[in-house]
Amino acid sequence: MEMEMEMDTPEKKTQIANPIPKFEESPVFNYINNLSPIKPVKSIHVTQTFSSLTFASLPSIFASPQVNSRKESRFLKRHQELDLEIPKDSNAVADSDNGKDTAGQNENAKKLQGNLDVNINVREASADPVDESFEFVIELPQILKYDCASPDCDVALPETDAECIAQQPDGSVLQQHTENHALEIEGDAKGISRQEGDPVQFSLDGSNSKSTDVLSFSSPNDAIAFRGLIPTSPVISTGLLTSLVSSAAQYEIYGSPERRQLLHQITSDGHYAEEDPSLLTVEAGMETDEFRTEMEECLNKGEGGDGQGLVPFGYKMSADMHRGMRRRCLDFEVAEPPRKSSDVHGPSSSSLVVEQSKSNKASKDKQPIHVKQGGGSKKRILPGIGLHLNALTSSSKNIEQETVLPECVPQLSTSNQDNMNSIASENEMDPAVNGLQLTEYDPTQAFVNYEEINQLSPRKRRRRDLSGEPEACKRCNCKKSKCLKLYCECFAAGVYCIEPCACQDCFNKPIHEETVLATRKQIESRNPLAFAPKVIRASDPVSEIGDESNKTPASARHKRGCNCKKSNCLKKYCECYQGGVGCSINCRCEGCKNAFGTKDGSIVTGMDCETEDDSEKSEKGADDHLAWTADGQKNLERNDSVILSTPSHLNRPSLPWGFPPKTNQRMGGPGLLGTSSSFMKQPPPQTSPDDTLGILCGGTPTVGIIKGTSPNGKRVSPPHTNSSSSSPGQRTGGRRLILRSIPSFPSLSQQH
DNA sequence: GAGTTTGAAACT
DNA sequence: CAGTTTCAAACTC
């Protein structure tokens, strides 16, 4: 009975609520509230990406209209979904949004309504325990986000765990519990409030709160992901929960023992929960070696089976969700600094994610967690988080830090197909490919890479972060441009500046949305391609595929070509080099020695390049290369003639907008990977074009981990692994995927 | 961390 | 379109 009522009520509520701010006061609202045990939490939605703000164009880009419309509302949706029973949430959310973005109030309201429909559907579809579990699942991402938030976050794990769990044979058990989970969740929610930490709130409500952002999916895909969730089986949801829990443990999300308990409870059935130590043990194990093991298992499974078979549909969904979460990376990063042990225990920190994140950090301090294990391989930085999709794509430098998670792969296959289908298809995404990727992925290596990264001198790391992630999480240091010119990487990437930016007088913030948009328009009017990816891949994916072997890295080219005079196109000063592509006839560079291919068509082998570099500069150059994997790229080229794409390319790209389809960039060949560890950091592998991975991984970084050999077994071909390459910088395998699936924000020009 | 170098972006 | 200036990242010390 309740279910039915809830089902019905939500729609009405939401519909009404959106438009009416004070809906809360209405009798209906109260009634609804009474029905649900959960109390609405106000969520704060902060999006840094322009897209979220407004780019109208985005919608056009997305394949499905709904997606666009949903975009902003995503997070709203989630809340609603989460709160299905809680009418207030939706309202609250709407309110919060309104509060923040007055401009978008109306839009939000509309979106909400649209979302409501979606939500309703979901419920109907799953109407049962599943729904509940679903809700729970939704929240999980938040937790993950938190993890991510931690600076070190290596958290990629969570996703992996989730996947693993889902796949595990034990899944049956999980399923059984699933229903209970939902129930428990509610119960926990209630109970949570009782408990000191209000852990429950934390997890559940946290989403609503600031954490909301985390939940909100930046990409259109997110919406899709949700859809997938709906259908997902209870098992999946359960898996997610479990994964979340485990992940949380790994990341120390639980800041305090108490929280852990809560989490455990939530995770497992109510039965196990509080009192069942076994659960704890498991989780604990997860944190350490076991976690790794599981991951590996998952990977293996993935390998064995094509993504499809092994990976449950829901699985994919989860992945998507994760992606959404990851985007928040920025937030996390921001949060990092604040960590304080004191924060950790905030007694009743009902508060939000922020607190949690802090707690996590704190907990870490207190309780050393073996991040490396899980995180090591997976460290995710979520570069994309908080940033515009484009940004995600673009970032490549940090690829190393990020490792590709096997998980991603599966998702890719599904999610891509569903959502981005078109894009994916273009890119040659094959389900099989996905599977391949998984197979190739070598957690161990990833781990190694991760360590390497860690070992890097602070400075190098910093650079990587800055540079690499940048794409994902770009950071600028503008002093005079106000971040309203293309000089600003953030602005150029279509993302708002965030805390990590050291810019001065920055106008590239949501607050100045109008200014940003106006400026952007102005720039585009001058140069329609100003915000287009600088590196363009070959247009035909298909042709590319076929040609890949033949294509040199140059297959991807810088849009306008470079104009280097002194760097010989061997440094990042060179946009071509930075983008991981060879120079072309469009370049006016002098003394071109671009490792990815000189403008005269010759390709300097990595060795050659290095040699030259060495001779010229030597070591540093080498170092740098490593940092970004330029070497890797080089290697790739040699081996496979893979085309590297710059991060930015990858990211943005192309797809949606009209930019020529990127050719598939092939990543490095196996040889590369095999050869240089540094290389491995980079990327990607993968199969399908980057996009695929990106999508899947979403945030997962990945990395290079994936093996050099072709990921897909399919494509592995020596000729090129798949296209997608990731350029060194780009590595961002996951992100790339994102890009494809989600068009970065469209360039104004395109819109026109 | 400060200073230099570099080349794109912006301006003329 | 070419030349110059401005700018911020990349790089060096």
Side-chain angles (χ1 to χ4, degrees):
Chain A
M1 293 296 290
E2 289 180 357
M3 294 293 292
E4 290 178 356
M5 292 186 65
E6 287 177 357
M7 303 246 336
D8 293 348
T9 57
E11 289 181 356
K12 292 177 181 179
K13 288 180 179 181
T14 55
Q15 289 175 349
I16 295 168
N18 293 341
I20 302 168
K22 291 191 176 181
F23 176 74
E24 294 176 358
E25 294 177 357
S26 73
V28 174
F29 181 81
N30 291 336
Y31 174 75
I32 293 167
N33 274 345
N34 292 336
L35 291 177
S36 90
I38 298 168
K39 293 182 179 181
V41 175
K42 189 175 183 177
S43 66
I44 298 167
H45 177 70
V46 176
T47 305
Q48 290 187 337
T49 61
F50 292 156
S51 62
S52 64
L53 293 177
T54 30
F55 288 121
S57 60
L58 288 176
S60 61
I61 294 168
F62 299 116
S64 75
Q66 288 180 346
V67 171
N68 292 342
S69 63
R70 294 176 186 177
K71 230 179 160 186
E72 287 182 354
S73 57
R74 292 171 196 149
F75 105 88
L76 292 176
K77 287 182 178 180
R78 283 197 175 180
H79 290 292
Q80 288 177 348
E81 289 178 356
L82 292 175
D83 299 342
L84 293 181
E85 294 179 355
I86 306 167
K88 278 185 177 181
D89 266 2
S90 64
N91 292 341
V93 171
D95 291 349
S96 67
D97 287 353
N98 290 342
K100 290 183 177 182
D101 286 341
T102 55
Q105 290 179 350
N106 293 339
E107 291 180 357
N108 290 341
K110 291 179 181 178
K111 290 179 180 181
L112 265 174
Q113 289 179 348
N115 291 338
L116 290 176
D117 292 346
V118 172
N119 291 338
I120 291 168
N121 292 340
V122 171
R123 280 196 172 185
E124 290 178 357
S126 57
D128 289 359
V130 171
D131 286 344
E132 289 178 352
S133 64
F134 176 79
E135 289 177 355
F136 186 84
V137 170
I138 291 168
E139 287 188 356
L140 290 180
Q142 290 178 345
I143 293 168
L144 291 176
K145 283 183 177 181
Y146 289 111
D147 290 348
C148 292
S150 68
D152 291 0
C153 65
D154 309 353
V155 186
L157 296 179
E159 291 179 358
T160 304
D161 287 351
E163 291 178 356
C164 292
I165 291 167
Q167 291 177 352
Q168 292 180 350
D170 294 347
S172 63
V173 173
L174 292 176
Q175 287 180 348
Q176 290 177 349
H177 295 294
T178 304
E179 290 180 356
N180 292 340
H181 281 303
L183 294 176
E184 281 195 357
I185 291 168
E186 289 180 356
D188 287 350
K190 293 177 181 178
I192 290 165
S193 59
R194 319 175 204 151
Q195 294 186 357
E196 64 170 314
D198 290 351
V200 173
Q201 267 191 339
F202 168 8
S203 52
L204 295 176
D205 293 353
S207 63
N208 291 343
S209 62
K210 291 178 181 180
S211 61
T212 325
D213 292 348
V214 174
L215 293 176
S216 65
F217 296 102
S218 346
S219 70
N221 289 343
D222 291 346
I224 294 168
F226 257 115
R227 292 178 187 172
L229 289 175
I230 295 169
T232 52
S233 66
V235 172
I236 294 167
S237 63
T238 303
L240 290 176
L241 291 175
T242 304
S243 66
L244 287 176
V245 172
S246 65
S247 66
Q250 288 178 345
Y251 298 100
E252 298 181 327
I253 289 168
Y254 303 53
S256 64
E258 295 173 1
R259 287 185 179 177
R260 283 193 174 187
Q261 264 198 335
L262 289 175
L263 290 175
H264 289 290
Q265 290 177 354
I266 293 168
T267 328
S268 59
D269 289 0
H271 302 293
Y272 299 104
E274 296 180 354
E275 300 177 354
D276 191 348
S278 65
L279 292 177
L280 293 174
T281 302
V282 171
E283 290 180 356
M286 294 296 290
E287 289 179 357
T288 61
D289 295 347
E290 286 185 2
F291 176 80
R292 230 190 193 177
T293 302
E294 285 190 1
M295 294 226 7
E296 289 179 356
E297 288 181 358
C298 289
L299 292 175
N300 292 337
K301 287 180 181 180
E303 290 178 359
D306 203 31
Q308 295 174 345
L310 294 178
V311 179
F313 180 82
Y315 196 58
K316 292 176 181 179
M317 293 299 295
S318 67
D320 288 354
M321 291 180 67
H322 287 292
R323 275 190 308 171
M325 294 174 60
R326 289 178 184 177
R327 286 188 181 179
R328 291 288 257 161
C329 243
L330 293 177
D331 290 348
F332 287 113
E333 289 179 356
V334 171
E336 293 179 355
R339 327 173 160 174
K340 293 179 181 178
S341 62
S342 62
D343 292 350
V344 174
H345 295 293
S348 47
S349 54
S350 46
S351 46
L352 321 173
V353 175
V354 172
E355 286 183 358
Q356 288 181 343
S357 66
K358 289 179 181 179
S359 66
N360 291 344
K361 291 177 181 180
S363 65
K364 285 181 180 179
D365 294 345
K366 291 179 179 179
Q367 299 173 351
I369 293 171
H370 302 286
V371 174
K372 286 181 179 180
Q373 291 176 345
S377 58
K378 305 178 177 178
K379 176 176 189 172
R380 306 174 177 177
I381 290 179
L382 311 189
I385 295 170
L387 298 180
H388 185 282
L389 293 177
N390 290 340
L392 291 176
T393 4
S394 63
S395 66
S396 48
K397 295 177 181 179
N398 292 343
I399 295 166
E400 306 143 347
Q401 290 180 345
E402 294 176 345
T403 57
V404 174
L405 297 180
E407 298 171 356
C408 296
V409 174
Q411 286 182 345
L412 291 177
S413 63
T414 57
S415 66
N416 289 345
Q417 290 174 349
D418 295 348
N419 299 335
M420 320 281 296
N421 51 11
S422 63
I423 295 167
S425 63
E426 289 179 357
N427 292 334
E428 299 175 351
M429 301 257 331
D430 290 353
V433 171
N434 293 342
L436 292 174
Q437 290 176 347
L438 291 175
T439 306
E440 291 176 354
Y441 173 84
D442 179 353
T444 303
Q445 286 184 341
F447 184 77
V448 171
N449 291 342
Y450 179 76
E451 286 183 351
E452 286 181 355
I453 293 168
N454 287 340
Q455 291 178 353
L456 294 178
S457 65
R459 186 175 183 179
K460 287 182 180 179
R461 289 181 67 181
R462 173 176 151 218
R463 277 188 186 176
R464 287 183 182 179
D465 291 352
L466 294 177
S467 64
E469 270 260 335
E471 295 161 354
C473 301
K474 296 207 166 192
R475 293 173 197 166
C476 67
N477 190 32
C478 305
K479 295 186 171 110
K480 298 181 179 179
S481 67
K482 296 181 180 177
C483 298
L484 290 177
K485 294 195 174 182
L486 293 175
Y487 294 127
C488 176
E489 289 191 358
C490 299
F491 180 79
V495 301
Y496 287 112
C497 291
I498 56 176
E499 280 189 34
C501 293
C503 46
Q504 299 174 6
D505 298 331
C506 179
F507 276 78
N508 187 26
K509 295 183 177 178
I511 303 173
H512 300 104
E513 178 183 352
E514 292 182 4
T515 301
V516 172
L517 294 176
T519 303
R520 188 181 161 93
K521 267 193 173 183
Q522 185 178 0
I523 293 171
E524 285 190 327
S525 65
R526 217 186 308 158
N527 176 12
L529 298 177
F531 294 94
K534 291 181 178 178
V535 176
I536 298 171
R537 296 178 185 177
S539 46
D540 286 358
V542 173
S543 64
E544 286 180 359
I545 294 169
D547 296 347
E548 289 178 355
S549 61
N550 296 339
K551 291 182 180 180
T552 61
S555 61
R557 299 293 184 187
H558 189 273
K559 182 172 64 179
R560 294 183 308 144
C562 66
N563 190 31
C564 306
K565 308 279 190 206
K566 300 178 179 179
S567 66
N568 295 332
C569 301
L570 287 174
K571 295 194 174 184
K572 289 179 86 176
Y573 293 125
C574 175
E575 289 192 352
C576 297
Y577 180 84
Q578 187 170 42
V581 302
C583 289
S584 67
I585 52 175
N586 292 329
C587 297
R588 288 140 290 168
C589 49
E590 297 176 1
C592 180
K593 293 178 182 178
N594 190 328
F596 298 102
T598 59
K599 65 179 175 183
D600 60 2
S602 65
I603 296 172
V604 176
T605 62
M607 295 298 293
D608 292 350
C609 290
E610 285 182 356
T611 303
E612 289 179 357
D613 286 356
D614 289 1
S615 61
E616 291 178 358
K617 287 217 165 175
S618 62
E619 50 161 30
K620 280 189 177 181
D623 255 7
D624 292 348
H625 290 292
L626 290 176
W628 327 14
T629 37
D631 291 349
Q633 290 180 350
K634 291 177 182 179
N635 291 337
L636 292 175
E637 290 178 358
R638 299 176 205 160
N639 294 337
D640 296 355
S641 71
V642 172
I643 296 168
L644 299 178
S645 58
T646 60
S648 59
H649 311 138
L650 294 177
N651 300 336
R652 314 193 178 184
S654 16
L655 309 178
W657 321 21
F659 290 99
K662 311 172 176 177
T663 56
N664 300 322
Q665 293 181 341
R666 313 160 184 107
M667 282 293 300
L672 289 180
L673 293 178
T675 36
S676 71
S677 64
S678 65
F679 186 67
M680 296 187 56
K681 294 176 179 178
Q682 303 181 347
Q686 101 199 306
T687 61
S688 56
D690 321 44
D691 305 344
T692 336
L693 289 178
I695 292 165
L696 295 180
C697 297
T700 1
T702 338
V703 173
I705 308 175
I706 297 182
K707 70 202 358 354
T709 51
S710 69
N712 314 338
K714 313 171 175 182
R715 299 195 170 176
V716 175
S717 60
H720 346 301
T721 30
N722 338 309
S723 42
S724 30
S725 55
S726 31
S727 50
Q730 355 336 6
R731 77 12 31 335
T732 50
R735 295 174 188 172
R736 290 178 183 175
L737 294 178
I738 293 168
L739 292 176
R740 294 220 172 203
S741 55
I742 301 168
S744 53
F745 49 86
S747 63
L748 295 177
S749 63
Q750 278 192 345
Q751 290 177 352
H752 298 301

